[in-house]
Amino acid sequence: LDIQKKERFLRLADVKERTGLSRSTIYLNISKGTFPRHINLGARCVGWLESEIDEWMQSRITHRSIAS
């Protein structure tokens, strides 16, 4: 039985806390195409998909293992 995890949006504060990155670093990496893009949730509100942030973090861990 394949039970999918419910998807949720993370706000910038949550993304910063989970990744340890600053706001400017997050947006710089988005512009470089090396970080998941945010999704517009409203006029002045954006969020990131939790699964995409988790995948990005896992890719950094995998990259570290390969580079060692």
Side-chain angles (χ1 to χ4, degrees), residues 6-64:
K6 281 194 181 247
E7 188 65 84
R8 68 183 203 128
F9 291 112
L10 299 176
R11 299 297 304 275
L12 180 60
D14 300 319
V15 174
K16 287 169 51 179
E17 183 179 331
R18 286 180 77 152
T19 63
L21 300 175
S22 68
R23 178 190 185 283
S24 58
T25 300
I26 290 169
Y27 281 99
L28 177 66
N29 288 339
I30 289 171
S31 70
K32 290 180 180 177
T34 61
F35 195 80
R37 290 187 51 80
H38 55 79
I39 297 169
N40 290 323
L41 303 176
R44 294 174 46 93
C45 180
V46 298
W48 284 260
L49 288 175
E50 183 176 35
S51 62
E52 292 181 356
I53 298 302
D54 289 344
E55 287 171 19
W56 179 85
M57 292 174 67
Q58 189 59 49
S59 75
R60 301 309 303 154
I61 293 168
T62 302
H63 178 72
R64 178 187 71 176

